[in-house]
Amino acid sequence: TDIDIRDVSVGGVCIAYPYLLTVGTPVSVEFYVKYQGKMTRLRAKCRISFNTMLAENAGAKLGLQFVTMAKEESHVLANVLHMLEDQNF
């Protein structure tokens, strides 16, 4: 399912999702970031850390805490976030 990422950090992501999921629910995510001139896939096992219903029929905002992510992928994410921070995004 395609989702909208609202915020991302080294600890997890905040997404907009069509449905409310229960806090503690395990989920797997896969997303792409541009790194060293190419799109790089990042995958992680997560758990729902918070949930908020949005306006009527607008779905939910979910916080996903990374539980496991490959060391190399975690390194890529940290580097991308650092580069964005340096560019004041």
Side-chain angles (χ1 to χ4, degrees):
T1 302
D2 288 338
I3 56 170
D4 292 325
I5 294 177
R6 300 290 174 97
D7 189 23
V8 63
S9 72
V10 294
V13 294
C14 178
I15 64 169
Y17 193 70
Y19 310 102
L20 186 68
L21 298 177
T22 304
V23 169
T25 300
V27 295
S28 294
V29 296
E30 177 178 298
F31 58 100
Y32 291 81
V33 296
K34 189 170 185 177
Y35 183 64
Q36 296 182 338
K38 64 180 182 178
M39 296 306 290
T40 302
R41 180 178 67 185
L42 304 179
R43 294 177 289 181
K45 293 192 185 291
C46 306
R47 72 169 187 83
I48 304 297
S49 59
F50 72 86
N51 59 19
T52 304
M53 286 296 297
L54 300 176
E56 189 174 325
N57 296 321
K61 181 169 68 169
L62 303 175
L64 282 62
Q65 179 183 13
F66 296 142
V67 175
T68 58
M69 179 183 279
K71 188 174 183 178
E72 182 178 312
E73 293 178 7
S74 181
H75 178 75
V76 168
L77 178 59
N79 284 340
V80 167
L81 292 173
H82 184 70
M83 288 185 300
L84 290 172
E85 184 178 277
D86 287 348
Q87 296 174 11
N88 293 317
F89 277 100

